[in-house]
Amino acid sequence: MIAACIDDFRVLAKTRLPRFLFDYIDGGSYSEATMRSNVADLQALRLRQQVMRDVSAIDLSTMMMGRKVALPIALGPVGLAGLNARRGEVQAARAAEAKGVPFILSAVSCCSLEEVTGAVSGPVMLQLYMIRDRDFMRDLLGRAAALGVDTLVLTVDLAVQSARYRDVRSGLAGVQGIDTQLRRFSQIAARPGWAWDVGVRGGPHTLGNFAPVMKEGAGLSQFLAWVGRNFDASITWKDLDWIRQHWSGRLVIKGVLDPDDALAACDAGADSIIVSNHGGRQLDGAPSTIAALPAVAKAVGGRAEILMDSGVRSGVDVLRALALGAKGVLLGRPWAFALAARGEAGVAAMLDLLRHEMAVAMALTGQTSIADLSPDILLPLNT
Ligand code: FNR
């Protein structure tokens, strides 16, 4: 099957990944209402078709997180993406570099920071959660700076972990026993291509950056349990002072939906703020990010760069987010699925698709430059 659009990669990934892994990526918290509204609210926004405006030269390049980018898009942090394809984070980082967009490595990646930075020539960005063990955090920040990481993305919407019913049903979350192991084993056996590519040839199967603190041979479910125990639920805005003491590069705060929180992030020294509900994987019932974005952008009023993620599934969606105040968007599931479907080439093809869709949407809304996008290109609902 040829992937004609972003959603096609999801279909392809489903045929390639063991069931529990597909569900881990695809799922959201509880009823998944917020996850669905991320996509639906974006798609409900109508664009204003404007014609006869010389759209023969369209420039999609812009600045994002202090960098010149070919598209206002970054590959957002996706934990355990290295399970989607062999040495998955390396493949995705290479595709991002080739297409001129930033790659943000999740702290909880399979490939270590050293492996990923060694595989590309430009700087990689690192995402981190607040970990209870501050010595470990300090060491990791030092490692990152030494490896040329210039941007730290601190994710703040995971003080506690929400539940995903799909992970409970698949046995990925919860009590582990011989039954859950057998179920996973049979799901892996049903996907021999993945078992060979990732299971046999894709090792070592460790959490690259956390290998020093996790038991050797720890599997996916042990890792998820470790996250629950070691992420710091006592974090407040004051802790950003600690981050600032140990990190002198660019600081991006990810996981803000509320204007008051956005202002607090500005006060705490954030250079960029990512309006995000973690792809609908945390507070079920929270608004979609596209609904939350305008109020955050208005409150911040240029004090920090505003980015958005959650629910972006096409180049048209990118335009919608930019029209409502984002300077760029992050992708989560779309690149995770493209990687699972076709590896590095899949991620590159996905970015090409988005580029093409964006260029068409720009042309047909009469726009030629990212800097000119404004709410003017949108129409009120029910028009
Ligand atoms: C995530 N996300 C995430 N965020 C983060 O800051 N650190 C992480 O390690 C992860 N891990 C992760 C794993 C998986 C499987 C998914 C799907 C998501 C959230 C991610 O960065 C992003 O906010 C959302 O995925 C955006 O929503 P979409 O694009 O998936 O709809």
Side-chain angles (χ1 to χ4, degrees), residues 24-25 76-79 106 108 127 129 155 254 276 278-279 281 309-313 330-334:
Y24 163 69
I25 302 166
V78 169
S106 166
V108 291
Q127 175 269 330
Y129 295 105
T155 299
K254 174 174 183 282
S276 172
H278 219 102
R281 293 164 78 84
D309 76 12
S310 303
V312 174
R313 298 292 178 267
L330 276 64
L331 305 171
R333 294 177 185 87

Side-chain angles (χ1 to χ4, degrees), residues 75-130:
L75 302 191
V78 169
L80 302 172
L83 289 181
N84 300 349
R86 180 161 26 124
R87 312 316 290 158
E89 289 96 359
V90 163
Q91 295 200 53
R94 285 192 174 134
E97 181 162 69
K99 298 296 168 188
V101 303
F103 176 76
I104 306 173
L105 181 69
S106 166
V108 291
S109 53
C110 299
C111 302
S112 69
L113 204 44
E114 285 77 3
E115 184 177 353
V116 177
T117 52
V120 292
S121 48
V124 165
M125 300 182 175
L126 174 69
Q127 175 269 330
L128 206 53
Y129 295 105
M130 206 69 174

Side-chain angles (χ1 to χ4, degrees), residues 151-179:
T151 303
L152 176 71
V153 177
L154 186 75
T155 299
V156 295
D157 60 4
L158 211 127
V160 297
Q161 232 186 336
S162 193
R164 292 186 289 270
Y165 295 148
R166 298 200 215 186
D167 292 347
V168 175
R169 291 192 190 109
S170 77
L172 195 59
V175 182
Q176 298 301 304
I178 191 77
D179 54 330

Side-chain angles (χ1 to χ4, degrees), residues 127-146:
Q127 175 269 330
L128 206 53
Y129 295 105
M130 206 69 174
I131 310 285
R132 283 184 216 269
D133 183 343
R134 296 289 199 273
D135 289 343
F136 174 78
M137 269 193 90
R138 198 183 46 237
D139 288 353
L140 188 58
L141 290 175
R143 262 165 70 195

